[in-house]
Amino acid sequence: MTESLTGRLAQIVGAGYVSTDPDVLDGRAVDHTGRYRGRASALVRPGSADEVAAVLRACRDAGAYVTVQGGRTSLVAGTVPEHDDVLLSTERLTGIGDVDVVERRIAVGAGVTLAAVQRAASAASLLFGVDLAARDSATVGGMASTNAGGLRTVRYGNMGEQILGLDIALPDGSVVHRHSRVRRDNTGYDLTSLFVGAEGTLGVITGLDLRLHPAPAHRVTAVCGFAELDALVDTGRVFRDMDSIAALELVDARASALTAEHLGVAAPVDGAWQLLIELAGDSDQTERLADALGDARLAGEPAVGVDANSQQRLWQVRESVAEILGVFGPPLKFDVSLPLSMIDTFARDSAELVAAHAPDAIPVLFGHIGEGNLHLNLLRCSPDAEPALYAAMMDLIARCDGNVSSEHGVGSRKRDYVGMSRTDADIAAMRTVKKAFDPTGYLNPAVLFRR
């Protein structure tokens, strides 16, 4: 980092929005879990798309690497710098436009949090289709960059399905505004889809035009207990294809025991596995819920919530899991997407792997069963055990026909395993796209590919 580049960045965004303070940089160079740490030379916080573009141009010309940061909720070290990078934060891009209630859309800056979008939609009697436990800190720009999923994916799809348009600052310092006011527009390349899920390697998303949805008039929520995981998966198959499904979430008994012990949030049902089901529609869904559970192999009676307060209490069972994960220090995380037929095998074999490599660790399994997207978190797993265990776990995921990433992205933590999910030709094509947009490879250089 040279003084001339620091001065140039200060000219672009204002001296108050550039920092080279070691304490500031140290706090920004660690990932959300606290498990992975990098090195940064400066932090710059642009206030507009044009400023983002100018910052990129200056850093490219100076030969400086750039790592993009939003809410810094990445769980795969996607915002951890490795090359004394300039950290480009989107936190000042927080504009929120008026909700278009007729077309059901809203324009927002990339630094707007998910919670802020949800509040704006709710105020207009609409809803946003993606929900995450990290809603108060996760930014929509970062969510688009990783094509985030979450709690409502089974009904509304991933982040990419909520995006109608994007503003992107490209590595050459230009800005692309990819928007359309019509519902169907297949003119030329689908650039929006190209940047969604690219993890900031092709450009910096600065603004988004987001799709909103009508808010269902009726909801019913249930938590069901199961003695066997395959019985839960069978029930999940029944519900995932229902047009009224709104959420379908798995939680294991270890997670429930921890939330009960540390947060006072106990599971309302017995069983080694719990399934949270929510149906939503224009009419009462209670009878549909009961009918669909008629043949389920439950461990006991389900807990059902038909009013907002009881539904919120049932959701606490699932949402408290995220809060409990840091009790024993930074957890080791696996974001795994599996065929439903392999989930029982994975749960059993992964527990054996953990017992063999890290006997003191506590495996906690939860996630979005409708998509086969599970989150395996290992609590109390020592750093010494991580390398061998991580490699063995990724090999198990491959043997179960799983995917290297379902919704968290690749980041830098999983870049050595991209070949699990993509052929050599796929990876070569992705590198060609990267080189076309970023010939020198200075933007998010640690992410997706190893330099």
Side-chain angles (χ1 to χ4, degrees):
M1 185 70 181
T2 64
E3 290 186 11
S4 60
L5 178 55
T6 305
R8 177 65 186 130
L9 296 178
Q11 289 176 347
I12 295 169
V13 304
Y17 297 113
V18 178
S19 177
T20 56
D21 185 305
D23 292 334
V24 172
L25 299 180
D26 188 58
R28 295 275 187 149
V30 63
D31 82 313
H32 178 70
T33 69
R35 202 169 185 96
Y36 309 110
R37 183 174 293 279
R39 308 184 310 275
S41 58
L43 168 68
V44 57
R45 298 181 295 143
S48 69
D50 288 340
E51 287 187 359
V52 172
V55 166
L56 292 180
R57 193 180 306 114
C59 291
R60 181 203 60 183
D61 292 346
Y65 293 108
V66 173
T67 289
V68 185
Q69 296 187 336
R72 297 190 298 124
T73 57
S74 170
L75 299 175
V76 288
T79 61
V80 177
E82 290 188 356
H83 306 282
D84 291 316
D85 305 23
V86 173
L87 302 178
L88 191 161
S89 172
T90 62
E91 64 193 74
R92 293 177 61 211
L93 306 178
T94 54
I96 301 179
D98 294 331
V99 173
D100 183 337
V101 295
V102 176
E103 295 296 332
R104 295 199 295 268
R105 60 200 295 167
I106 184 173
V108 299
V112 172
T113 64
L114 170 59
V117 173
Q118 291 173 329
R119 287 192 296 269
S122 178
S125 299
L126 298 169
L127 63 79
F128 184 56
V130 176
D131 192 20
L132 310 170
R135 62 184 67 88
D136 291 318
S137 51
T139 62
V140 290
M143 291 166 58
S145 291
T146 57
N147 197 17
L151 303 169
R152 303 291 182 185
T153 307
V154 69
R155 184 180 182 100
Y156 298 107
N158 279 32
M159 187 69 181
E161 293 167 83
Q162 321 308 318
I163 296 174
L164 299 171
L166 290 176
D167 298 322
I168 311 111
L170 299 181
D172 66 1
S174 61
V175 179
V176 171
H177 303 280
R178 183 66 173 83
H179 296 270
S180 181
R181 297 299 300 175
V182 298
R183 290 279 178 141
R184 291 288 180 267
D185 184 351
N186 66 351
T187 308
Y189 298 131
D190 186 355
L191 292 180
T192 298
S193 294
L194 181 61
F195 289 96
V196 172
E199 301 188 47
T201 58
L202 305 179
V204 180
I205 295 173
T206 61
L208 306 91
D209 196 2
L210 299 174
R211 185 191 312 275
L212 302 178
H213 303 271
H218 299 272
R219 291 184 184 274
V220 61
T221 308
V223 174
C224 307
F226 295 83
E228 303 293 336
L229 181 53
D230 61 352
L232 182 151
V233 172
D234 288 343
T235 301
R237 282 194 179 93
V238 172
F239 278 97
R240 70 172 179 172
D241 295 325
M242 294 175 62
D243 57 7
S244 58
I245 190 65
L248 201 56
E249 295 290 306
L250 162 76
V251 180
D252 72 11
R254 290 180 293 259
S256 298
L258 289 171
T259 58
E261 177 183 355
H262 295 278
L263 300 177
V265 179
V269 295
D270 295 325
W273 305 94
Q274 288 119 41
L275 178 66
L276 183 147
I277 305 163
E278 186 164 280
L279 302 182
D282 294 332
S283 59
D284 188 357
Q285 301 292 308
T286 308
E287 287 190 13
R288 294 195 72 185
L289 174 71
D291 290 345
L293 287 174
D295 295 328
R297 292 173 284 159
L298 303 178
E301 289 296 314
V304 180
V306 296
D307 61 85
N309 288 335
S310 59
Q311 290 167 2
Q312 185 177 20
R313 286 194 295 272
L314 294 181
W315 268 104
Q316 278 188 297
V317 176
R318 170 63 176 86
E319 295 213 322
S320 295
V321 176
E323 187 175 346
I324 209 67
L325 294 180
V327 167
F328 300 99
L332 180 58
K333 293 177 173 287
F334 296 91
D335 167 42
V336 51
S337 183
L338 297 165
L340 295 191
S341 60
M342 297 302 296
I343 287 178
D344 188 58
T345 298
F346 174 78
R348 181 183 61 252
D349 291 355
S350 63
E352 293 176 359
L353 272 183
V354 173
H357 288 271
D360 293 331
I362 304 172
V364 172
L365 188 64
F366 62 98
H368 322 305
I369 195 69
E371 299 79 49
N373 176 201
L374 303 183
H375 304 307
L376 175 61
N377 285 255
L378 306 185
L379 315 185
R380 209 164 58 193
C381 181
S382 72
D384 292 341
E386 178 175 342
L389 177 55
Y390 205 96
M393 193 68 72
M394 297 304 284
D395 180 64
L396 172 61
I397 293 168
R399 286 188 279 113
C400 290
D401 297 323
N403 199 343
V404 66
S405 170
S406 181
E407 63 173 342
H408 291 170
V410 173
S412 61
R413 186 62 189 89
K414 294 183 177 181
R415 64 192 175 196
D416 291 336
Y417 301 98
V418 173
M420 279 177 45
S421 303
R422 297 290 182 266
T423 66
D424 290 345
D426 287 336
I427 295 170
M430 289 193 289
R431 285 187 174 275
T432 298
V433 174
K434 167 67 171 174
K435 191 171 183 61
F437 280 93
D438 181 16
T440 63
Y442 80 95
L443 183 59
N444 273 19
V447 173
L448 197 56
F449 308 111
R450 186 176 290 278
R451 287 184 57 80

